[in-house]
Amino acid sequence: GTNLTNLDASDLSSGTIPDARFPSVLPAVSGANLTNLPDNVASWTLGADGTSNYTFSGPGLTGAENDPTIYLQRGVTYKFVNTMNAHPFRIQSTENGSTGTQYNDGITNNDVSNGTLEWDVQFDAPNELYYQCTSHSNMGGKIIIGGGGGEGFSQLDTWLYG
């Protein structure tokens, strides 16, 4: 075998591999030792452009973008990370420009100024909500929610998944 080089597999018409090269019983496979797997949650990091705009960095965005419209999918979990220790981030049902009515269904840590807002978007979520800084009326934007029985967009490939 030491002189065999540049073998072309197309020249092999048939053959067998001795059974001794394979175990007679395959080992059981367990997921118990799988660690550091992604949690399939989209996450955006929040910043600020002074007191005029939130900046978002994360999926669906190139670099940091000011007050983008965010597209979410019902039945998916999302995270918004605010480590500024300022600019409290709220999900609300009231249009932007004022601190409005909190929307809390599926949300943990609404009004976060130093930590993470986690949102498990419920199947009965409205099609449109808003994000707003509770300290600055001009820092906010729109959230469009689709899929899962709502009347939002119909193409799943247009949504951001975790």
Side-chain angles (χ1 to χ4, degrees), residues 41-125:
V41 174
S43 181
W44 289 274
T45 300
L46 304 175
D49 176 10
T51 60
S52 299
N53 302 289
Y54 274 116
T55 59
F56 283 70
S57 299
L61 305 170
T62 303
E65 295 193 20
N66 291 342
D67 295 331
T69 297
I70 301 294
Y71 295 87
L72 304 180
Q73 176 71 34
R74 289 177 180 88
V76 178
T77 300
Y78 301 91
K79 292 182 180 180
F80 299 87
V81 181
N82 181 355
T83 58
M84 295 179 282
N85 210 19
H87 304 294
F89 184 76
R90 170 180 284 185
I91 306 298
Q92 64 185 35
S93 57
T94 311
E95 287 194 47
N96 297 113
S98 67
T99 300
T101 305
Q102 276 188 334
Y103 179 83
N104 290 313
D105 195 13
I107 294 177
T108 303
N109 213 14
N110 215 347
D111 288 346
V112 64
S113 61
N114 193 31
T116 301
L117 181 151
E118 186 167 319
W119 186 3
D120 176 16
V121 181
Q122 303 296 295
F123 285 115
D124 62 353

